[in-house]
Amino acid sequence: MKIFNPSRNLILATTIFLVFIVPLRAQDSPQDFLDAHNQARAAVGVDPLAWDETVAAYAQDYANQRRGDCAFPMERTSLQENMNIATTIFCIAWSSGDMSGVEAVNMWVSEQADYDYGSNTCASGKQCGHYTQIVWKNSVRLGCAKVSCDNGQTFITCNYDPQGNFVGQWPY
């Protein structure tokens, strides 16, 4: 006759949770953001980005400001104005639920399908600026942040230094 052992079942359930659930959520670390960016950069022969704590702190400060409303702002001051270092540019992702940092980066990288390198243009009605910033050859530092907003939505931002996406210049 088998006897029900609640503590053993709790340990088993916890182990299953940690093995299968937690790794699925572990895509928000600096290394996760960096790996996703650098994979896209390697695909086009661009040197990898390095994580920068100053740029990341700026991204985190900005993401924290969006926590209350999770809104997309249309303007943003430069990193130089706030931190006295080179100007940065940013990518923003928003989700009605939970989105990982890697999912956000992959969403931005998917814009590559609409980008024509030969003409350095994006397909009509499409966005490619996130992708071109990710692979911008002169950007060398990265900082990203993610917050869960008060309304249950997710706000993710990545900043790049020096900035890219200059009109008339190719990203790589």
Side-chain angles (χ1 to χ4, degrees):
M1 173 178 184
K2 290 189 177 184
I3 298 174
F4 178 72
N5 184 339
S7 63
R8 182 173 178 216
N9 289 343
L10 179 60
I11 291 170
L12 180 61
T14 302
T15 302
I16 290 170
F17 176 79
L18 293 174
V19 169
F20 293 105
I21 304 302
V22 172
L24 297 175
R25 315 292 269 155
Q27 295 186 320
D28 299 324
S29 73
Q31 194 63 52
D32 293 327
F33 278 107
L34 203 52
D35 289 347
H37 276 81
N38 287 336
Q39 182 177 4
R41 293 172 68 88
V44 295
V46 177
D47 289 338
L49 294 168
W51 188 262
D52 185 277
E53 289 300 329
T54 302
V55 179
Y58 180 74
Q60 188 65 59
D61 179 63
Y62 190 69
N64 290 342
Q65 293 175 40
R66 303 275 47 101
R67 189 181 304 267
D69 60 9
C70 225
F72 277 114
M74 296 314 291
E75 70 281 335
R76 186 164 178 195
T77 58
S78 74
L79 187 60
Q80 184 175 18
E81 293 170 13
N82 291 300
M83 303 187 91
N84 199 25
I85 67 171
T87 304
T88 186
I89 196 159
F90 61 95
C91 292
I92 294 176
W94 166 88
S95 173
S96 60
D98 189 25
M99 170 186 275
S100 74
V102 170
E103 288 172 322
V105 176
N106 289 340
M107 179 181 66
W108 298 328
V109 170
S110 73
E111 294 175 359
Q112 179 183 19
D114 297 313
Y115 176 68
D116 177 45
Y117 182 82
S119 64
N120 194 27
T121 59
C122 193
S124 179
K126 300 290 186 172
Q127 277 193 3
C128 298
H130 300 101
Y131 168 71
T132 55
Q133 176 55 67
I134 288 171
V135 297
W136 199 266
K137 68 181 173 204
N138 293 330
S139 294
V140 295
R141 289 174 289 282
L142 173 70
C144 301
K146 172 185 171 179
V147 295
S148 296
C149 299
D150 295 344
N151 60 9
Q153 298 171 340
T154 302
F155 187 90
I156 298 171
T157 184
C158 288
N159 293 75
Y160 308 85
D161 182 59
Q163 75 179 43
N165 281 343
F166 292 103
V167 176
Q169 292 184 21
W170 271 253
Y172 54 91

